[in-house]
Amino acid sequence: EINNSVKMSSEVFSYESLVHAVSGAVGSVTAMTVFFPLDTARLRLQVDENRKAKSTPAILAEIVKEEGFLAPYRGWFPVICSLCCSNFVYFYCFHSLKASWLKGKQSVPSTDLIIGIAAGVVNVLVTTPLWVVNTRLKLQGSKFRNADIQPTNYSGILDAFLQIIRDESVGALWNGTFPSLLLVLNPAIQFMIYEGLKRQLKRGGPRELSSFEVFIIGAVAKAVATTVTYPLQTIQSILRFGQFKDATDASKLLSSLRTIKCLLVNRVRKYGILGLFKGLEAKLLQTVLTAALMFILYEKIASCTFRVMGLKWGKKSKHK
């Protein structure tokens, strides 16, 4: 009987994790599609150094005028594929690690942070090649202010993979992995704040949060996480774009650290400390709105799925 209950709880946990993973993936893909042009504006500001940072609507208007009406949605498909895989992996790891670690006990912020970091590391190592490819596809055909940027010619996701491996080696698919690993702090901080605020709001007793509450705590969590980690995100975009060349005589880790330091110092030297936050307005607008909408959809999809399955679960857990 003990064996049965262990088996049953592990089934429930893996099923629960799957529901969370699918809900997170669907929620994030929908939210990203709605606010995708804001991400296009942010990426241009980060990578194209000579583009002046104006207001986000002005940059989008400029892109539409120069490159056509659909330009803000350039690279949508690879981004959505990457995001779907990325969030599925992240939510699945986060909830299955949490379930096996806590075994039904109440979570605390430090646990959420550690689990968030672990889930983030798995996610980065698995999905970085997808993000490298989609950064390239998203910027392909853009009119850059910086004349040194080399144009690329990829016909799609697979072609981009093959060309990068052929011309730059397999390792290039993991460009920007080191800042990405540092950036696992972003979703980890976001989830820690989100779960913490959720626990605070539910203090009065178990209840389902309203969409407005989920929107607000999702937005606050993402705004804090994004601002704290933004300079590293800029460096990550530049490295993924693959235009930055540096001597790699030392070990990979040392040269990664040196590259990050070099890019950060150059940026500060050229544009001052605020240069590290170039495009932050577009990024905050996009990520805060996207995260808030993603969390609402994620909570709704997950709770609906659990409600549909809930009757069976309720009976099972009572017998146990």
Side-chain angles (χ1 to χ4, degrees):
E1 199 170 323
I2 290 169
N3 261 357
N4 279 351
S5 67
V6 168
K7 199 167 143 208
M8 194 179 75
S9 69
S10 72
E11 275 169 19
V12 167
F13 282 140
S14 61
Y15 177 75
E16 265 188 29
S17 303
L18 191 65
V19 172
H20 284 298
V22 172
S23 308
V26 172
S28 63
V29 162
T30 312
M32 183 56 144
T33 302
V34 173
F35 298 114
F36 193 81
L38 296 172
D39 195 51
T40 302
R42 180 268 316 173
L43 192 57
R44 290 296 176 87
L45 284 169
Q46 283 182 327
V47 169
D48 193 359
E49 289 186 358
N50 298 346
R51 188 181 278 278
K52 297 278 180 286
K54 305 184 189 116
S55 72
T56 306
I59 293 227
L60 284 171
E62 212 172 66
I63 292 170
V64 167
K65 198 171 98 188
E66 290 176 7
E67 300 168 36
F69 190 66
L70 289 176
Y73 274 92
R74 182 184 289 120
W76 172 82
F77 184 70
V79 169
I80 289 303
C81 290
S82 308
L83 193 69
C84 194
C85 297
S86 187
N87 272 326
F88 185 89
V89 171
Y90 191 86
F91 275 86
Y92 193 88
C93 288
F94 184 83
H95 286 284
S96 49
L97 285 170
K98 198 169 172 177
S100 54
W101 187 332
L102 294 173
K103 297 188 172 58
K105 291 198 293 286
Q106 173 80 327
S107 185
V108 292
S110 57
T111 311
D112 287 336
L113 187 66
I114 292 163
I115 292 170
I117 290 171
V121 169
V122 174
N123 182 23
V124 164
L125 296 174
V126 171
T127 63
T128 290
L130 283 166
W131 288 113
V132 168
V133 165
N134 91 47
T135 301
R136 307 276 184 104
L137 288 170
K138 203 163 174 206
L139 290 165
Q140 183 167 279
S142 307
K143 289 185 167 51
F144 292 111
R145 302 289 187 270
N146 186 346
D148 299 337
I149 291 175
Q150 304 287 317
T152 53
N153 187 22
Y154 306 125
S155 62
I157 297 177
L158 194 61
D159 183 49
F161 269 117
L162 296 172
Q163 277 198 49
I164 293 169
I165 292 168
R166 191 188 67 213
D167 301 337
E168 303 170 46
S169 85
V170 174
L173 289 172
W174 275 269
N175 274 353
T177 298
F178 194 71
S180 299
L181 283 173
L182 297 177
L183 277 170
V184 300
L185 280 171
N186 183 324
I189 292 167
Q190 178 190 349
F191 265 74
M192 179 183 77
I193 295 170
Y194 179 77
E195 295 282 329
L197 290 172
K198 204 160 113 178
R199 276 194 293 276
Q200 288 299 316
L201 287 175
K202 285 184 168 179
R203 252 184 164 161
R207 64 185 179 90
E208 205 174 305
L209 298 183
S210 71
S211 294
F212 180 70
E213 287 171 321
V214 172
F215 186 89
I216 294 299
I217 62 174
V220 169
K222 192 60 181 180
V224 175
T226 299
T227 307
V228 169
T229 57
Y230 192 75
L232 275 171
Q233 292 182 42
T234 300
I235 302 310
Q236 179 194 46
S237 292
I238 293 166
L239 289 173
R240 281 176 175 171
F241 190 33
Q243 301 277 343
F244 180 82
K245 298 285 176 278
D246 195 21
T248 52
D249 46 349
S251 75
K252 270 272 188 269
L253 181 64
L254 275 176
S255 68
S256 291
L257 280 167
R258 199 170 295 133
T259 302
I260 291 168
K261 192 186 118 205
C262 177
L263 283 166
L264 286 170
V265 169
N266 285 350
R267 198 95 177 172
V268 172
R269 222 173 262 154
K270 259 187 181 173
Y271 307 104
I273 283 289
L274 288 179
L276 293 176
F277 291 92
K278 193 174 170 219
L280 178 63
E281 177 219 353
K283 179 69 178 174
L284 271 179
L285 200 57
Q286 181 254 332
T287 49
V288 167
L289 292 173
T290 303
L293 181 57
M294 185 268 287
F295 275 122
I296 287 177
L297 293 168
Y298 154 65
E299 293 282 352
K300 291 279 174 254
I301 296 166
S303 74
C304 284
T305 313
F306 285 135
R307 208 170 290 136
V308 171
M309 306 304 293
L311 288 171
K312 287 183 194 165
W313 279 5
K315 284 171 192 161
K316 270 185 187 172
S317 55
K318 271 172 204 160
H319 289 313
K320 205 169 85 179

